[in-house]
Amino acid sequence: MSLTRKIEARARVIKGWIMLYFGRATGNQHLESKGLAGRPGNNMRQRSRRIKAMFKR
């Protein structure tokens, strides 16, 4: 993965965390749920990369 893609991926994760905590702080459930979807554990891109990495070994 190139450096720019790594930076973009990390920015998406950070954006998700910010949305999650900002949604919790303001009581905005929609914003909080969007933040939860952006977390690394819920991200399908990262899951697919982990599965691909497993088969490369």
Side-chain angles (χ1 to χ4, degrees):
M1 189 179 340
S2 70
L3 181 62
T4 56
R5 287 196 181 211
K6 286 182 182 180
I7 293 171
E8 288 172 356
R10 183 56 60 186
R12 275 193 303 271
V13 170
I14 292 170
K15 180 181 172 186
W17 284 108
I18 290 170
M19 286 172 42
L20 171 70
Y21 288 114
F22 191 72
R24 283 184 184 168
T26 59
N28 187 340
Q29 291 179 349
H30 179 70
L31 192 60
E32 184 177 352
S33 65
K34 285 182 75 172
L36 279 173
R39 290 178 61 193
N42 297 333
N43 195 340
M44 290 302 291
R45 284 190 191 125
Q46 291 201 353
R47 286 183 185 182
S48 66
R49 286 187 191 124
R50 287 182 187 150
I51 292 170
K52 286 178 187 178
M54 280 181 9
F55 289 110
K56 284 184 180 179
R57 293 180 187 170

